[in-house]
Amino acid sequence: MYSMKYIAYISILIWSILSGCATHRLGRSGQQKVADQVWVVTGSSSGLGRGIALEAGRYRAKVALAARNTAELEKVAAEIRAAGGEAIVVTTDISDSLALKALAEKTIAAWGHIDVWVNNAGVTVLGNFWETPIAEHSRVMDVNIKGTFYGSYYAMQQFRRQGHGKLINIASAESRLPTAYQSSYAATKAGVKNMGIVLRQELRLAGMKNIKVVSVDPWALNTPIWDHAANHTGHAPRMGLMDNTSKAVNAVMHAAAGGRNRDMAVGWKTHAAYAVHWLMPRFSHRVSSNIVYRHQMKLAPPAADTQGNLFTPSAHPAVTTDIKERMKAEKKAYKRGKRARSSR
């Protein structure tokens, strides 16, 4: 008889192979499902949110763009309209519940209903828990979990009125596999995941089968979050083994076009990490934090403390960043310095 661990190892292999299925671009039938849908995307001025909004626009969706940076939202809206979609700009501080209510109202005023609401807006602060200012921890909580909570609340009010809708909350692999130096971020993403589980159960018990809730768990992505993060580590923000942002964008498109009503791990790295965590939770926590320690505290060059984009909009918004190239250059510099020190 096969042992449970043997079955688990086989499952990891199969899981990792199949996990790429939702990270490719939507086919024609999926694109047709997204066409003419009404979307709300928070945090759509930069990073993953910008990528999601632009991709939905390419499929001719109607997209309400929400973030603090009005000028960047206007640029995203122009790209969506040029691609054949429709867009409205709603300048929004996600941590303000009344602003989220106004976002829902303006979207409904423009198009009459909401099909897909994506709670994507997020910020982070890097540093030891006890060395990070409490105001910065609080700001991460205000945006990542309270903002998602508020957005989910107003989305659910509208979905219940119209009898259908899909809520997509961007969680993270850190929701299940937290790592060192991101305590408040990991706490908020675990909260996002658990809120989604509760919402699905409440909808099931209420018999609301046409309202879906999907939590999407990306791996670390090459978005500008690493350039915009608040940071108190003494070193430049970075992460190892990053995925391309397009994987998470495509996963959200599949979630919107399909009938999913569950958590959705993105890519083979997240699937494999979750499987290892299931088998050896303490080991997985140690290994993942050791990897982060090496990349963040040993290989990264010195950097001054910063509040990043916690309290002001991002300075240089984009879907992706050149962080992979920066990390390669930093690694070469680290090795040159190490050789120079050893030759003395």
Side-chain angles (χ1 to χ4, degrees):
M1 186 174 180
Y2 294 117
S3 69
M4 285 298 295
K5 281 199 172 183
Y6 178 78
I7 294 171
Y9 289 135
I10 297 299
S11 299
I12 291 172
L13 179 61
I14 296 172
W15 210 1
S16 299
I17 292 170
L18 295 179
S19 64
C21 295
T23 57
H24 57 78
R25 291 196 75 200
L26 281 178
R28 183 172 296 178
S29 62
Q31 293 181 28
Q32 289 173 345
K33 290 178 182 178
V34 173
D36 294 324
Q37 283 183 338
V38 175
W39 285 52
V40 174
V41 183
T42 69
S44 46
S45 65
S46 188
L48 178 57
R50 189 176 186 131
I52 291 168
L54 290 171
E55 191 75 351
R58 292 186 192 103
Y59 298 154
R60 299 179 183 275
K62 301 175 176 70
V63 189
L65 304 167
R68 294 172 292 176
N69 193 329
T70 307
E72 288 300 322
L73 291 180
E74 292 290 359
K75 293 178 184 178
V76 177
E79 287 191 55
I80 288 173
R81 292 167 189 145
E86 297 180 32
I88 60 170
V89 168
V90 186
T91 306
T92 309
D93 183 339
I94 305 303
S95 66
D96 182 351
S97 64
L98 293 179
L100 269 297
K101 182 180 180 182
L103 172 61
E105 290 171 346
K106 289 177 182 178
T107 305
I108 294 161
W111 295 305
H113 68 283
I114 300 170
D115 296 298
V116 179
W117 185 298
V118 182
N119 284 311
N120 161 82
V123 293
T124 192
V125 57
L126 304 177
N128 282 313
F129 177 77
W130 53 87
E131 293 174 344
T132 300
I134 192 65
E136 296 182 26
H137 280 310
S138 295
R139 180 61 179 170
V140 174
M141 299 286 183
D142 288 343
V143 175
N144 294 11
I145 186 61
K146 287 186 179 180
T148 299
F149 188 95
Y150 299 148
S152 299
Y153 183 84
Y154 292 114
M156 205 56 62
Q157 299 301 317
Q158 179 59 24
F159 292 165
R160 290 178 66 251
R161 280 192 291 269
Q162 66 193 29
H164 68 90
K166 183 161 288 187
L167 177 66
I168 301 176
N169 289 331
I170 305 301
S172 166
E174 293 227 16
S175 65
R176 188 176 298 180
L177 191 64
T179 58
Y181 312 121
Q182 290 202 70
S183 54
S184 48
Y185 182 85
T188 61
K189 293 305 183 178
V192 168
K193 180 181 284 291
N194 282 314
M195 183 181 68
I197 293 169
V198 171
L199 288 178
R200 283 196 295 271
Q201 295 308 313
E202 291 181 357
L203 290 166
R204 177 184 64 83
L205 293 168
M208 298 179 184
K209 297 180 180 179
N210 294 324
I211 301 176
K212 310 292 185 183
V213 179
V214 181
S215 295
V216 175
D217 298 358
W219 193 252
L221 302 173
N222 64 332
T223 71
I225 193 170
W226 308 106
D227 302 322
H228 302 160
N231 182 26
H232 301 281
T233 64
H235 301 271
R238 65 209 318 269
M239 181 65 74
L241 306 173
M242 276 184 283
D243 270 346
N244 290 324
T245 304
S246 59
K247 285 189 175 183
V249 170
N250 291 334
V252 171
M253 295 302 123
H254 281 274
R260 295 175 184 271
N261 194 34
R262 57 178 175 80
D263 292 348
M264 185 178 179
V266 179
W268 71 267
K269 294 171 191 171
T270 307
H271 281 277
Y274 282 3
V276 172
H277 178 262
W278 178 72
L279 288 169
M280 298 172 287
R282 186 180 176 189
F283 173 77
S284 67
H285 290 154
R286 288 177 65 90
V287 169
S288 60
S289 288
N290 286 348
I291 291 171
V292 170
Y293 172 78
R294 180 174 182 271
H295 281 277
Q296 180 61 50
M297 307 301 279
K298 293 193 71 176
L299 297 179
D305 283 7
T306 175
Q307 292 184 334
N309 69 342
L310 291 182
F311 303 102
T312 56
S314 303
H316 303 289
V319 175
T320 60
T321 184
D322 63 351
I323 185 169
K324 290 184 178 181
E325 297 304 315
R326 171 167 71 81
M327 286 172 59
K328 288 179 183 177
E330 290 169 354
K331 187 175 182 179
K332 289 179 181 177
Y334 173 82
K335 288 182 176 180
R336 285 195 300 269
K338 191 175 181 179
R339 284 196 297 269
R341 289 190 296 270
S342 64
S343 63
R344 290 173 186 169

